[in-house]
Amino acid sequence: MDIQAVAKIAPSERQLKWNRMEMNAFVHFGVNTFMDSEWGSGKEDPGIFRPEKLDAAQWVRACKDAGIKGLILTCKHHDGFCLWPSAFTEHSVKNSPWKNGKGDVVKEVSDACRAEGLKFGVYLSPWDRNHPLYGDDCDAYNTYFLNQLRELLTNYGDIFCVWFDGACGEGASGRKQYYDWEAYYALIRELQPEAVISICGPDVRWCGNEAGKSRESEWSVVPVSCADICKIAERSQQADDAEFIKKFSYDDEDLGSREVIRNEPELMWYPCEVNTSIRPGWFYHEAHDNQVRSLDELIRIYYGSVGGNSCFLLNIPPNKEGLFHENDVQRLRELGQFIRKTFGKNVADGAQIAADNTKDGFAAEAMLQQNPDTYWCTDEGVETANIEIKLSAVSTFDRIVLQECIRQGQRIEKFKIAYFDSWEWKPLYAGTVVGYKKICCFDMVTTDRIKITIEESRWQPTLSFVGVYQEQR
Ligand code: FUL
């Protein structure tokens, strides 16, 4: 594929909306919470599920304090226990003592989200250790799974994301369930066309680790085969998949540079999500109350994910009472304060900006406005450019935010930033991809002149935003 064609691959509207949410919450809650475990066996007694003080509004408030825009709930984890009273199984809240079996966690959480303006998403584990037919009668299990999806996608309002986990610990000699992914996807598109299908799905790609690590150069355009890793991994014993697994792995540092995509027959817009937990486990364990990630760690992950052309999915597990622990609440508040304080004051407000090449109608001034759909770009055939910013006053700063207009695709491959120091330009930062958002971090400088040089791009580069900030810890 020629490189201009690659540069024209653009996100769907649903992917674009998801990307602009930047940071979402993952909430792992279920029988594991009460068993002090991470993976249930499927044999748990629903009688243990008793979150006496469950308060979804408390979760939602804490998420909002952090600046989180959406919340994804584990409606069913690998143990098969359903947090809603599914009509298709007895293994659910309806057989728990909580609210005398009349409760519905999915309803409480989705209502609380809607009341506070947070979007709601569902995690439904394909791997199910409770269902008797899982792996033995694949069609029957697929029907069961579709029935559950239908319940979740019709009874709880708008869903922004359906998150499909690739995990399956059955092992080589375990039950092999063939998932009817195409039928799952078709049902989601039919019932919730705005929802992204994440991880084992075509819209959002897993970053490849659960530790909060991100890539230096995270491309949103990658080989189509990257979307199949999950499905392949899940039946990885099959010999004919071995070649493919070798070719692309989640550990690869580079999934989208020119060299990597050169001989790829088909590429797709498949943006990255970094998912990690605020604690060592996905589920709540009292023993981890003092191991909530530090603010510094969360900031580092935020810079790497949101600031590295990815979204950040941060897990916060409620405790046995059905509440976020105070230590987690506190950390979320601190994270939100940090983001608001640091990125609330743009040193480039009131600045002057000019580029050495500008296409008619796409003036450089657009970069100083927060509108992601207005942008500067160069003339056709011009792939490099210099942009100079003259701040309204000499200022001290250590962060620069760059955003491409990704509605037009991802184009920038290499850039550098310099600042004017008394009588010469001095280097400040050198980077590769920009994409939806790049937060460039460097040591504090004081100046009133900044120069951004786009050194390589796939086609006329675009920038919809340039912001200049001083970090406020
Ligand atoms: C993994 C699961 O096995 C974990 O329990 C957790 O849900 C994590 C987000 O994904 O694959």
Side-chain angles (χ1 to χ4, degrees):
M1 206 187 271
D2 86 281
I3 203 67
Q4 268 189 28
V6 178
K8 289 177 189 169
I9 298 174
S12 63
E13 278 303 307
R14 66 173 82 86
Q15 287 173 315
L16 198 58
K17 277 196 198 139
W18 166 86
N19 223 145
R20 289 177 182 172
M21 291 171 76
E22 299 192 356
M23 191 162 65
N24 294 312
F26 217 176
V27 176
H28 276 66
F29 188 53
V31 285
N32 292 338
T33 313
F34 297 84
M35 298 293 287
D36 213 8
S37 67
E38 281 290 309
W39 276 9
S41 65
K43 298 192 170 64
E44 291 76 17
D45 176 358
I48 59 172
F49 188 81
R50 198 189 271 274
E52 305 284 2
K53 297 189 182 153
L54 190 131
D55 181 5
Q58 185 244 12
W59 311 358
V60 168
R61 274 196 306 274
C63 290
K64 280 187 75 176
D65 276 353
I68 279 168
K69 299 290 189 296
L71 185 158
I72 300 171
L73 175 69
T74 55
C75 301
K76 176 185 90 166
H77 202 250
H78 310 327
D79 51 71
F81 182 80
C82 299
L83 293 181
W84 79 104
S86 171
F88 301 96
T89 179
E90 292 305 304
H91 200 53
S92 83
V93 283
K94 74 182 173 204
N95 285 314
S96 80
W98 179 61
K99 299 199 165 175
N100 294 320
K102 300 276 178 291
D104 182 342
V105 182
V106 179
K107 174 131 184 38
E108 294 201 15
V109 179
S110 56
D111 283 352
C113 284
R114 209 158 303 118
E116 290 287 334
L118 227 62
K119 293 189 184 180
F120 179 67
V122 297
Y123 166 112
L124 186 68
S125 171
W127 183 31
D128 187 322
R129 306 182 85 180
N130 175 266
H131 198 275
L133 299 177
Y134 179 91
D136 289 335
D137 183 342
C138 294
D139 290 346
Y141 179 76
N142 281 324
T143 303
Y144 172 72
F145 194 79
L146 285 165
N147 282 334
Q148 294 202 314
L149 259 183
R150 187 177 285 282
E151 288 181 317
L152 292 173
L153 301 180
T154 45
N155 296 333
Y156 301 98
D158 289 343
I159 302 291
F160 85 95
C161 171
V162 179
W163 211 95
F164 285 147
D165 200 321
C168 175
E170 293 288 345
S173 57
R175 296 175 297 172
K176 285 247 175 310
Q177 170 69 37
Y178 289 89
Y179 301 123
D180 192 352
W181 294 111
E182 297 314 320
Y184 306 169
Y185 301 163
L187 188 69
I188 298 166
R189 295 295 196 235
E190 177 201 328
L191 298 174
Q192 296 278 351
E194 305 262 290
V196 288
I197 311 174
S198 300
I199 315 311
C200 283
D203 300 320
V204 173
R205 171 169 52 88
W206 184 42
C207 65
N209 69 87
E210 295 180 337
K213 250 179 69 214
S214 43
R215 292 184 179 81
E216 183 52 40
S217 307
E218 189 59 85
W219 283 97
S220 292
V221 174
V222 295
V224 161
S225 36
C226 285
D228 289 332
I229 295 180
C230 249
K231 299 183 209 169
I232 302 276
E234 160 232 316
R235 54 191 163 94
S236 57
Q237 280 78 24
Q238 285 183 229
D240 56 347
D241 295 333
E243 259 318 293
F244 173 71
I245 292 169
K246 254 192 276 149
K247 193 164 164 201
F248 286 108
S249 119
Y250 280 126
D251 301 330
D252 288 350
E253 251 313 298
D254 178 358
L255 295 174
S257 69
R258 278 198 205 208
E259 289 76 71
V260 166
I261 61 173
R262 178 162 295 132
N263 298 315
E264 283 300 318
E266 238 189 310
L267 299 159
M268 70 190 285
W269 187 272
Y270 198 31
C272 176
E273 177 175 76
V274 173
N275 68 316
T276 194
S277 187
I278 199 164
R279 289 163 170 253
W282 291 101
F283 285 87
Y284 176 84
H285 308 283
E286 197 179 346
H288 294 163
D289 280 351
N290 292 317
Q291 293 178 56
V292 175
R293 280 188 195 271
S294 66
L295 179 62
D296 280 353
E297 268 183 275
L298 290 180
I299 292 172
R300 179 183 55 74
I301 299 169
Y302 177 84
Y303 280 143
S305 54
V306 176
N309 191 35
S310 304
C311 281
F312 184 9
L313 182 63
L314 175 61
N315 180 67
I316 312 104
N319 62 17
K320 289 184 183 157
E321 295 188 305
L323 296 169
F324 283 1
H325 187 275
E326 183 45 39
N327 292 354
D328 307 55
V329 171
Q330 166 78 15
R331 198 64 85 245
L332 291 172
R333 193 177 303 131
E334 290 167 3
L335 179 62
Q337 273 166 1
F338 165 79
I339 296 169
R340 283 188 295 274
K341 267 165 58 193
T342 297
F343 297 102
K345 186 178 176 326
N346 183 358
V347 170
D349 279 345
Q352 291 175 330
I353 190 162
D356 60 3
N357 183 285
T358 297
K359 184 179 167 155
D360 278 352
F362 295 85
E365 282 72 22
M367 290 183 273
L368 295 179
Q369 289 151 21
Q370 280 276 9
N371 182 345
D373 288 321
T374 59
Y375 60 97
W376 157 87
C377 84
T378 59
D379 283 318
E380 183 94 37
V382 177
E383 265 106 46
T384 59
N386 286 296
I387 298 157
E388 274 195 48
I389 299 169
K390 172 92 168 58
L391 301 174
S392 59
V394 172
S395 309
T396 301
F397 55 88
D398 55 1
R399 304 288 178 257
I400 289 183
V401 172
L402 303 177
Q403 292 191 266
E404 282 182 73
C405 181
I406 57 164
R407 196 189 277 286
Q408 308 300 327
Q410 189 179 355
R411 303 178 180 185
I412 297 172
E413 294 175 307
K414 195 172 174 208
F415 69 94
K416 62 183 181 188
I417 306 177
Y419 72 105
F420 200 74
D421 179 28
S422 306
W423 52 76
E424 59 176 345
W425 287 104
K426 289 212 169 134
L428 198 52
Y429 189 88
T432 54
V433 304
V434 174
Y436 168 73
K437 185 180 269 192
K438 177 74 193 176
I439 304 179
C440 308
C441 302
F442 42 83
D443 291 340
M444 204 86 84
V445 289
T446 300
T447 183
D448 63 351
R449 290 174 66 189
I450 300 165
K451 181 160 71 183
I452 300 164
T453 304
I454 298 172
E455 297 176 288
E456 285 170 28
S457 43
R458 292 179 172 183
W459 194 33
Q460 304 159 273
T462 75
L463 280 176
S464 68
F465 183 67
V466 178
V468 182
Y469 306 90
Q470 188 188 115
E471 191 184 74
Q472 307 288 327
R473 294 241 174 183

